[in-house]
Amino acid sequence: MPVGLSEREAAQRLAARGRPPRRRTGRSYASIVRANVLTVFNAILAGFGTVTLIFGDWRDALFLGVIVANSGIGITQEVRAKRALDRLSLLVAPRARVVREQREREVPLEEIVPGDLALVAPGEQVLADGRLLAATDLRLDESILSGESEPAAREIGEEVRSGAFVLEGTGVFEVTAVGAESFAVRLTGEARSFRHPRSPLERAINRLLYALVAVVLALGALLGYSLYHRHVPIYTAVSTSTAGVVSMIPEGLVVLVSLTYAVAAVRMSRRGILAQQLNAIESLASVDTICIDKTGTLTESTLRVIDILPAADVSEEWLRSVLGEAAASASARNATLRAIADALPAQGQTPLGEVPFSSGRRWSAVALRDGALFLGAPGRFALGPLHARAQELQREGRRVLAIASGRSPLPEDPDEQPPAGLTPLGLVVLAEELRPGARETIAFLRREGVEIRVLSGDAPQTVAAIARDVGIPVTGVLDGESLPSDLAELGVVATQATVVGRISPEGKRAFVQALDEQGHYVAMIGDGVNDVPALKSSRLAIAQSSGTQMARSVADLVLRTSCLSPGTSRACRCWWPRGAGHCAICSEWPSST
């Protein structure tokens, strides 16, 4: 066990750095107030109200209550959405395992300091940037940072970045940056800025108000001139002028729009959608193009078996039986073996020997009573006629696993290459698991005439394969590394292609901006840190509550995942806390449906 920092050293470094501010899980209260108070409508009424209070009777300024009502409706609903997300974030607040004084302990994220030795194991998240001091078959899922769903192997001396998840292996790294200095926060620094895109209806109302201001000023000048020639006292002149011009402002229209937004927000919350900005409700109706991230949005982090191709002299039924038994018998299952076990349920047996999968070998094996089964990358086995088919499937973006049989016992110290003399049995074709309802959602959007673009850090052909799986027409496949830098040129390309792979976070933002320049009303759906720049640039930003806090903080709509009320099997839908016994996540009583 390494020594690590002493508790005293850690406390001194924490004091010197200062405890970081609490991480924002959604929009700030200040941004909510600004969005609902600083409007053209409120500015016009506030101007006339101020003049009335200075020169007239305060009772003539009661129309200022419309400002309070209009702003209050929006602020109340958006604060409720923020608090619902805050409650969810508190329940999943991360903690890190660090070594201090040769003892392992858990500390909150806010108490990690540079110099700490942090431990990571499968299923855990990397909570700070650092340099690896020890690594055993360490593979990370960095999809929320880069969009690349392929696991990244990391060795001693390499850098790890906050936000990644550990898929396999273990590691120890020395923390080099936390909080505001970490890679994830620096990447999404722009997410901290205020964002409030106006919906089409709001823009139309603002244009109407600007036109009315011009008319009001002209009529006000004529009325003032008339009152001046009549030598009317200033008290009466102000009251008369205000009554004449304020009546031209459509106060009822603006309040009605706010009430409609609020009612729609409540109804959508019952369906699991939190509106962080009320005008997003109306923006949904104007969207004609949706840009979707693949990993975490269209797909889950798990794999699924989509086909099994036996060799010429092997029956598919027998191969399925052998595969299911081998997967059920393996004691150390990676994502591939879990997918096979789920697709081919079978009764397992105690293995006589095992070779676990590693990123270096790229193959694994399990020995059973009837022999040993080897699984791995097609390039590791002599497949004969199956080799061409495996290459074709890989070019189409599929994950292909070769299956071969051999004799026991397995080598105690396996080399990079599997043993010679193996008999090829077939191929297993895998793909990422689609999110529930993905196909149905895409089909609905297409029926409504909405165009869909898939943007991902994965290989273009892999992204195209998933797009086809969910029903998105693949009319063009682009490599994000070769996209034109000029927005006009990019706009032409963006209107023709439906799939872009190997695209960076900045590339996603430029792609969204280019579509906007072409006159499209663009919505962006994403869940990772790498999606934040595009979410910020879109007309409508949508994130999942299971995504990163950065993505949720800039989103206009947050799609909340369903949960179960403690002690029951019934789903609940939250809106506001209602007392003891409600769901710990949603703060809502169990639903009867």
Side-chain angles (χ1 to χ4, degrees), residues 49 52-53 57-68 242 251:
T52 301
L53 291 174
D57 189 337
W58 65 269
R59 289 171 294 184
D60 294 328
L62 291 178
F63 60 84
L64 290 175
V66 176
I67 296 179
V68 177
T242 302
E251 301 168 2

Side-chain angles (χ1 to χ4, degrees), residues 471-489:
I472 299 174
V474 180
T475 58
V477 181
L478 299 177
D479 189 323
E481 296 176 351
S482 60
L483 291 177
S485 56
D486 181 71
L487 276 185
E489 295 179 18

